[in-house]
Amino acid sequence: MIGDFMQKLRVAVVGAGEFGRRHMRVIRLLPQAELAAVVDVDPGRAQSAASEHACQALPDLAALSGRVDAAVVAVPTTAHVDVACALVEAGIDVLVEKPIASDLASAHRLVDAAQRHGRVLQVGHLERFNPAVAALTGLVRLPLFFEVHRLSTFTPRSLDVDVVLDLMIHDIDVVLSLTGMMPEEIRAAGISILTRKVDIANVRLAFPNGCIANLTASRVSTERVRKLRLFQPHQYLSVDYSKQELFSVAVTDDHRISSNPVQVVRDEPLRLELESFLESVANRKEPRVGGRDACRALEVALAIASRIEEHAQVVARSLASLEKP
């Protein structure tokens, strides 16, 4: 838990879209923070958000200098790095929504900029702050198999990236944090349905210790599913991210099956994430999910995208061969 602050931290939100407004709502509720300002490329949208959340609408990033201590970057992924670099160069600590960037070179540029200017850089891999995931982490010994599903109905947001960077990257980050290693083999397939980018993806990650992770993500499903299943020696653990529930099935020493829900203290992950960020800002310490972890998740996500493209080319050749007389 965060201790008492001598003075409230002044926080701005850059990006007044859906995610930005969620951050604004929670920041206003935190006793250690003051929602000072919002910035958006659309002045009307910025003013609307400012009126709704009782803060100031500022015209651009330069206007934040000297007025805030920290900022949340909730702009489209393609703009993350330019916005965040401008902020850290102005002496402002930043929480950047996931993914950290749309390419690795840009991600490393942001990480280097934050280090060079001595700024806190946290990345919004929200599921790390899910109480069910926190409870799961305490039970993990040697994960050998994962089955993960993240399905969403279609919404016209985050269409600047594919489903891997939009949704699956949450689970990539969680799996990497639980295994503590990078995969040595990646197989993947995906298709576009309603957008020009991949909307459904299925992935198999193989790790050096023999662990296998199967991940499925869709943003054109008819239902909303957020589940992770983990198998390790003598135990099966099941997480429902949305319900914040964790269930354990284990083999006891006398070879009996023990099935029990694991106690989870439910809370709002976004509030926990923002509290953790503000604690890092106040105490000048490394955030729970920093730039290095975010870069690893992005590296895997981009490798998945590459494998999907390779698979698509194989399918295209197969289809073309059928059309030949």
Side-chain angles (χ1 to χ4, degrees):
M1 296 299 290
I2 297 177
D4 294 332
F5 290 95
M6 295 296 293
Q7 186 176 355
K8 287 189 174 186
L9 293 168
R10 302 166 298 169
V11 184
V13 173
V14 182
E18 180 183 350
F19 288 156
R21 290 180 189 236
R22 289 181 191 174
H23 282 282
M24 294 174 75
R25 173 186 61 80
V26 175
I27 291 168
R28 286 187 67 191
L29 300 175
L30 299 179
Q32 63 270 43
E34 172 196 349
L35 179 60
V38 60
V39 177
D40 194 277
V41 292
D42 182 338
R45 186 165 56 186
Q47 188 57 59
S48 172
S51 299
E52 180 182 352
H53 295 285
C55 67
Q56 188 175 9
L58 294 177
D60 51 41
L61 298 178
L64 293 175
S65 183
R67 297 189 185 188
V68 299
D69 305 297
V72 173
V73 177
V75 298
T77 300
T78 51
H80 279 183
V81 172
D82 287 343
V83 170
C85 281
L87 292 169
V88 300
E89 289 166 5
I92 299 169
D93 298 309
V94 294
L95 166 59
V96 180
E97 265 295 351
K98 62 79 198 167
I100 183 173
S102 53
D103 64 87
L104 271 177
S106 297
H108 289 308
R109 177 162 67 91
L110 174 54
V111 171
D112 292 344
Q115 289 184 334
R116 189 167 60 254
H117 293 278
R119 295 296 97 195
V120 171
L121 168 61
Q122 182 169 316
V123 182
H125 286 282
L126 191 62
E127 296 292 16
R128 290 274 206 108
F129 297 89
N130 188 314
V133 173
L136 171 69
T137 301
L139 298 176
V140 171
R141 302 184 312 277
L142 179 61
L144 295 176
F145 188 81
F146 290 88
E147 189 72 40
V148 189
H149 290 85
R150 183 173 296 266
L151 314 178
S152 290
T153 57
F154 182 76
T155 60
R157 60 151 188 81
S158 299
L159 299 185
D160 60 320
V161 294
D162 63 22
V163 72
V164 177
L165 289 179
D166 181 17
L167 297 180
M168 187 181 285
I169 196 164
H170 281 297
D171 303 304
I172 293 169
D173 174 66
V174 170
V175 169
L176 294 183
S177 71
L178 293 176
T179 59
M181 62 184 74
M182 294 287 279
E184 63 180 3
E185 181 185 15
I186 298 173
R187 295 186 179 183
I191 57 174
S192 302
I193 301 293
L194 298 180
T195 76
R196 294 183 177 180
K197 297 183 180 292
V198 172
D199 295 315
I200 301 175
N202 180 260
V203 176
R204 181 183 185 274
L205 305 178
F207 292 87
N209 70 340
C211 178
I212 298 295
N214 289 328
L215 297 86
T216 299
S218 170
R219 57 185 180 188
V220 290
S221 176
T222 57
E223 58 182 337
R224 189 176 190 273
V225 177
R226 301 280 191 275
K227 291 185 177 181
L228 177 148
R229 299 172 180 86
L230 180 157
F231 299 82
Q232 60 186 4
H234 310 297
Q235 190 175 33
Y236 157 61
L237 296 161
S238 176
V239 171
D240 188 314
Y241 291 111
S242 298
K243 295 180 179 179
Q244 296 186 18
E245 293 177 349
L246 173 60
F247 192 81
S248 169
V249 178
V251 179
T252 63
D253 292 338
D254 58 355
H255 304 292
R256 296 184 180 181
I257 301 297
S258 172
S259 302
N260 296 292
V262 178
Q263 183 177 6
V264 175
V265 180
R266 294 183 177 89
D267 207 334
E268 183 177 8
L270 184 57
R271 183 183 70 80
L272 297 174
E273 178 185 65
L274 285 165
E275 282 190 338
S276 182
F277 171 57
L278 294 175
E279 184 178 15
S280 293
V281 171
N283 298 323
R284 311 312 302 165
K285 69 175 189 178
E286 284 292 316
R288 187 185 304 182
V289 187
R292 297 300 180 191
D293 280 356
C295 284
R296 283 190 283 269
L298 178 63
E299 181 179 349
V300 173
L302 294 175
I304 289 169
S306 178
R307 299 297 183 276
I308 289 174
E309 177 59 28
E310 291 171 4
H311 179 264
Q313 292 175 3
V314 171
V315 171
R317 288 195 294 270
S318 297
L319 292 174
S321 65
L322 289 177
E323 296 174 356
K324 293 179 179 180

